[in-house]
């Protein structure tokens, strides 16, 4: 079994093109979800979908059953679907000047997968691998530039933040739970 704490990866453009198309389709039908985050961590304007696992769209259902499962099982090297549960999935578009303050995802999932849907020269995501002491935080910070077809897979307990963007960064987010019990 391979359980990485933080891993960047590449996806085929057909995946990001599909996600961008589905995001546009969703936006034409549904208003944005209220951008609620604990402690007001989302700063600025933007658009967030609801949980796409609840979206009744046959094409997207097919995508999540095949593509998303294949991506997640690849990272864990787990063959059986009974050990991986994708619990939340949404897309966000950051408005000009929008940022996300430092937070984790431990309240809902064990791992998180981001896929950047467009290129931005700003709006980097910072991952703080050791956030306890200033010296450790500085030397173990990983910065990821939003680049289309690039993803990040990481443990939900890693604090991370999205720096301000003025280029309308778009991102796909998925929360994942795993069950390591052998029974």
């Amino acid at each position: 079994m391979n359980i990485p704490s933080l891993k960047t990866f590449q996806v085929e453009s057909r995946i990001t093109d599909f996600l961008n198309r589905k995001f546009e389709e969703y936006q034409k039908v549904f208003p944005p979800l209220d951008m609620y985050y604990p402690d007001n961590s989302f700063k600025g304007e933007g658009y967030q979908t609801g949980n796409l696992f609840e979206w009744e769209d046959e094409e997207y259902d097919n995508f999540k059953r095949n593509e998303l499962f294949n991506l997640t099982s690849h990272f864990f090297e787990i063959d059986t679907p009974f050990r991986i549960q994708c619990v939340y999935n949404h897309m966000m578009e950051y408005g000009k000047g929008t940022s996300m303050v430092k937070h984790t995802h431990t309240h809902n999932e064990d791992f998180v997968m981001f896929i950047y849907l467009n290129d931005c020269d700003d709006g980097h995501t910072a991952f703080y691998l050791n956030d306890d002491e200033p010296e450790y935080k500085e030397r173990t910070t990983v910065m990821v530039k939003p680049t289309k077809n690039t993803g990040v897979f990481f443990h939900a307990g890693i604090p991370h933040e999205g720096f301000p963007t003025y280029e309308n960064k778009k991102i796909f987010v998925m929360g994942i739970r795993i069950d390591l019990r052998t029974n």
Side-chain angles (χ1 to χ4, degrees):
M1 184 176 298
N2 180 15
I3 303 179
S5 291
L6 179 100
K7 178 180 179 73
T8 58
F9 62 94
Q10 297 296 305
V11 296
E12 297 174 30
S13 60
R14 68 177 178 78
I15 290 175
T16 51
D17 292 345
F18 174 82
L19 290 170
N20 275 313
R21 181 172 57 80
K22 296 313 281 184
F23 194 18
E24 287 176 19
E25 289 175 18
Y26 187 96
Q27 288 175 309
K28 288 177 184 173
V29 177
F30 299 100
L33 188 68
D34 287 337
M35 296 297 239
Y36 171 76
Y37 286 89
D39 304 322
N40 295 317
S41 59
F42 191 81
K43 304 288 186 188
E45 299 292 321
Y47 184 101
Q48 177 180 316
T49 68
N51 187 353
L52 296 173
F53 287 132
E54 299 170 0
W55 185 23
E56 293 181 15
D57 181 274
E58 187 176 331
E59 189 179 26
Y60 192 78
D61 283 343
N62 221 10
F63 173 79
K64 66 186 179 189
R65 273 193 311 275
N66 297 310
E67 298 290 345
L68 292 181
F69 178 75
N70 289 340
L71 278 172
T72 55
S73 61
H74 169 76
F75 292 121
F76 291 116
E77 297 178 5
I78 297 174
D79 295 332
T80 173
F82 303 110
R83 301 184 86 180
I84 299 172
Q85 181 186 12
C86 300
V87 293
Y88 198 84
N89 168 261
H90 68 257
M91 290 186 261
M92 297 173 59
E93 181 173 6
Y94 287 58
K96 295 199 182 302
T98 300
S99 63
M100 181 78 72
V101 299
K102 184 171 65 171
H103 65 285
T104 67
H105 291 244
T106 54
H107 63 282
N108 194 44
E109 53 244 7
D110 302 312
F111 291 87
V112 181
M113 181 173 64
F114 289 172
I115 297 175
Y116 296 102
L117 302 178
N118 64 331
D119 294 327
C120 295
D121 288 324
D122 60 10
H124 291 58
T125 307
F127 295 91
Y128 304 108
L129 302 183
N130 190 341
D131 197 36
D132 293 337
E133 298 288 333
E135 174 195 343
Y136 302 155
K137 180 179 176 180
E138 184 177 325
R139 82 177 154 76
T140 61
T141 297
V142 175
M143 298 290 283
V144 178
K145 180 180 178 181
T147 305
K148 186 178 179 182
N149 303 328
T150 297
V152 183
F153 183 84
F154 61 99
H155 184 273
I158 295 176
H160 57 285
E161 70 180 295
F163 287 103
T165 180
Y166 294 89
E167 300 180 28
N168 295 90
K169 175 172 81 173
K170 292 195 296 185
I171 188 170
F172 169 88
V173 180
M174 185 169 72
I176 303 157
R177 291 183 190 153
I178 61 171
D179 186 347
L180 299 176
R181 295 175 289 197
T182 56
N183 50 346

